[in-house]
Amino acid sequence: MKYANIIVNISNENLDRTFQYIIPSPLQSVVEIGSLVRIPFGKSNRIIEGYVIDIVNTPEFDKDKLKEVIDVIVDSKVTESRLIKLAAFIRENYGSTMINALKIVLPVKKKIKEKQEKSIILNISEEEAKEKLVLFTKKHQNARVRLLTELIKEKVLDYSLVTSKLNISKATITYLTEQEIVKTESKRIYRNAAIGEMSANKTILNEHQQIIADDIIKDIRNLTPKKYLIRGITGSGKTEIYMEVIDEVIRQGRQAIVLIPEIALTYQTVMRFYKRYGDRVSTLHSKLSQGEKYDQFERAKNHEIDVMIGPRSALFVPFDNIGVIVIDEEHEGSYKSEKMPRYHAREVAGELARLHNAALVLGSATPSVNAYYEAKKGEYKLYELNKRAKEAKLANVKIVDLREELKSGNKTMFSRSLREKMEERLLKGEQIMLFLNRRGYNGSVSCRACGEVIKCPHCDVSLSEHKRENKLVCHYCGYSTGLVNQCPSCGSTMVAGLRIGTEKVEEKIKEMFPMANVLRMDGDTTKNKDSYNNILSAFANKEADILIGTQMIVKGHDFPYVTLVGIMLADLSLNVNDYRASERTFQLITQAAGRAGRGEIPGDVVIQTYCPDDFSIVAASHQDYKEFYDEEISYRKMLMYPPYGQMMLIMLESDDYDSVLKYSEYLAGKIKSDIITENFKAIIIGPADANIVKVSDIFRRVLYVKAREYEKLVYIKDYIENNLSSDDRIRISFDFNPMNSI
Ligand code: ADP
Ligand code: ZN
Ligand code: ZN
């Protein structure tokens, strides 16, 4: 006997209200997760429809009291059915309950009041208006004068702006409306994230681009879409290819999803989509409210948009016939969810594409080692673009050995070479970008006498100095305290910021070049909704000479006047105990270098490092992906790291260190004794303390399991969930092929 858990009113809020029904034997082969079925409901047994969200073998209730599913509405193409199937995929592959997986794929229904935008429009010609203005001025009718003056300039004004900022009364507006001097108009507006002007002329693809686009389009037309990976250097024209493919999909009446790492960081890309598709494109981003998000999903459902751009959650937009899913900057870490269930957007997109018979197109200048490996194996069709679309020269890259700088007495964070080049650019009025990886760079404070680092009392991390606010802040739990002037350990007053952060770089530049205008972009300066755009557009408008920033500034921006990029300390991403440290270093440097010389003027890149011979830094300085890949893949193979082996992180957390210590030993022992055999090979690494052993007073231990096959890891995860009843004080979670070192 099989039983179906059914929800009758599908929405994120109703997930806890499931009803169980018997699946009668003739239907057992047809009812599946996601099926839309008819059931008798309530006392009166009226017949309603519901979605099957789970199928189980044992009933939760007395089975004599359960009713039977009547039949299946055969239409597996229902959007909701597919989303439920996607949730099932997430549950299977990432270790999650069905409810939690459904919460991810189903939108939160939050209807917000329709926003009416009213505007005031000039209803007479400009000349007539000027005559009226003279008249009103003579009569000292100041409110009328104010409004008309503005309207002559702008023609259309926002109603609320007129009443608030211009301080114009309703009576004035009514009077002018009656005189037919102005009129008001209102229309329902969707809270669209950005609106651009459409431009009719689209780029003609060059032959390299055209070959790729044609190939993908041919497969889509033949209804045999595949998975594709485009490795193309920055500026080689990948985005234009995506748009060409999307055009075809739209012609077929189908829809497209475009994933980008984070809207604010790829604002220029988004604007290009707006220019091409106008209001048929919409965006999701992390700073939208639930209501705004819901609006966008409603529009998608009503076929008002064809293209949805957004971060990984854009995969769950309720489109009913997806033709292509694009993942730009495929290698980005943000495609992996950092919350449970920790799904990877690339894998979930693969499943979604399968459900819709859609193409999946990945693009990157520096593909993840995993994706490139898969492509070489034939899982993806691989295309390579090695030339920039617009004739722009690749930058000249110079590696500076910081050890040599120190030897010759330069103790500052700017090498002589970087400083000279900066001077030169400032003189010429060209722009500079300075990049500083944030990892490990939170400007921690330490005692110069005894070496004591000032730490958060709740977490095993150092506090960061925030000079402007005169505070020390914990970036993990938010704890903050005043600046410390005396070492808590030895009492010395020689307490100072230990390392440089973006703020320090800014300070130093102001000292070196007091005339330069400097902008800084990092987690601290981009807390509000508009701050990214404000900083980026200010820099694009040449309102500043130098932009200093973390990872955020290296992605996807096109600044034609930037001719110098400085990488302050390339080693930062390297000295991390994570098997992907080299991959990240290569990606960051290559991307940062890609920012230089986008326009007519060739650019320079200066990489400052203590490890000038590291292969990832050297390969990045040549912008040679294959040189990097060949070295990296042989190392992965030797050590059985992904893609040659699969990894699962088991994280154990508790407020009591002893309990979590004991439990981690017990669990490792159980896996070894109960599961691992001659025929079931897997390697256990650990248990050990997490890199950061304490966060918000919770202690963390980790255990890694390595195996050749992913299925084995899933088996171990299931075994733990089903057979090892854990201590109430221990929380267990899983992360498959983790992206962040814990
Ligand atoms: P990528 O996505 O690979 O970084 P883009 O598609 O953003 O590359 O292209 C980089 C720049 O070159 C953009 O300004 C784009 O408008 C321009 N471009 C791309 N393809 C062509 C083309 N075929 N002809 C002229 N300009 C192009
Ligand atoms: Zn001290
Ligand atoms: Zn803390």
Side-chain angles (χ1 to χ4, degrees), residues 281-298:
V281 62
S282 180
T283 50
L284 287 179
H285 59 79
S286 54
K287 297 205 166 91
L288 285 185
S289 69
Q290 291 290 2
E292 288 171 318
K293 218 172 253 177
Y294 185 71
D295 261 1
Q296 302 305 325
F297 277 20
E298 282 292 286

Side-chain angles (χ1 to χ4, degrees), residues 118-130 132-133 136 143-159 161-162 166 168 172-174 176-177 180-185:
K118 239 168 145 182
S119 34
I120 299 182
I121 302 167
L122 188 62
N123 200 25
I124 51 180
S125 75
E126 203 173 310
E127 270 165 33
E128 287 172 292
K130 281 182 180 153
K132 294 274 179 209
L133 191 61
F136 294 150
R144 293 179 195 172
V145 171
R146 272 204 309 280
L147 180 55
L148 216 53
T149 311
E150 280 305 305
L151 272 175
I152 289 171
K153 267 194 283 178
E154 305 284 337
K155 306 297 180 291
V156 180
L157 290 171
D158 184 62
Y159 191 94
L161 203 83
V162 169
L166 293 179
I168 309 267
T172 306
I173 298 170
T174 310
L176 291 175
T177 312
E180 297 189 348
I181 297 172
V182 305
K183 62 180 176 185
T184 55
E185 238 173 45

Side-chain angles (χ1 to χ4, degrees), residues 456 458-459 461 474 476-479 696:
C456 172
H458 307 288
C459 310
V461 295
C474 172
Y476 281 78
C477 73
Y479 169 86
S696 300

Side-chain angles (χ1 to χ4, degrees), residues 252-322:
Q252 294 186 4
R254 303 175 74 186
Q255 303 101 26
I257 295 174
V258 180
L259 298 192
I260 52 178
E262 163 66 51
I263 285 279
L265 304 179
T266 38
Y267 148 87
Q268 287 170 330
T269 308
V270 174
M271 288 318 289
R272 277 164 67 188
F273 277 87
Y274 275 105
K275 289 223 165 90
R276 179 103 152 212
Y277 300 108
D279 58 7
R280 302 296 297 174
V281 62
S282 180
T283 50
L284 287 179
H285 59 79
S286 54
K287 297 205 166 91
L288 285 185
S289 69
Q290 291 290 2
E292 288 171 318
K293 218 172 253 177
Y294 185 71
D295 261 1
Q296 302 305 325
F297 277 20
E298 282 292 286
R299 295 184 63 205
K301 228 171 156 166
N302 298 336
H303 295 115
E304 288 174 39
I305 51 181
D306 304 315
V307 186
M308 180 60 89
I309 307 181
R312 55 174 194 266
S313 59
L315 284 176
F316 311 120
V317 54
F319 278 145
D320 58 13
N321 191 359
I322 299 168

Side-chain angles (χ1 to χ4, degrees), residues 203-207 209 232-243 269 272 328-329 385 388-390 556 558 595 598:
T203 312
I204 312 275
L205 297 191
N206 65 35
E207 74 182 301
Q209 291 168 311
I233 61 167
T234 327
S236 58
K238 297 182 292 297
T239 309
E240 295 293 333
I241 300 176
Y242 308 150
M243 292 198 279
T269 308
R272 277 164 67 188
D328 192 29
E329 307 285 355
L385 287 170
R388 284 189 172 172
K390 287 192 231 165
D558 208 345
R595 302 296 117 218
R598 304 271 285 173

Side-chain angles (χ1 to χ4, degrees), residues 217-244:
I217 288 171
K218 186 191 73 206
D219 288 347
I220 293 176
R221 284 197 185 139
N222 292 338
L223 299 178
T224 53
K226 301 183 176 61
K227 300 199 271 185
Y228 310 85
L229 172 63
I230 308 175
R231 185 184 74 74
I233 61 167
T234 327
S236 58
K238 297 182 292 297
T239 309
E240 295 293 333
I241 300 176
Y242 308 150
M243 292 198 279
E244 190 82 1

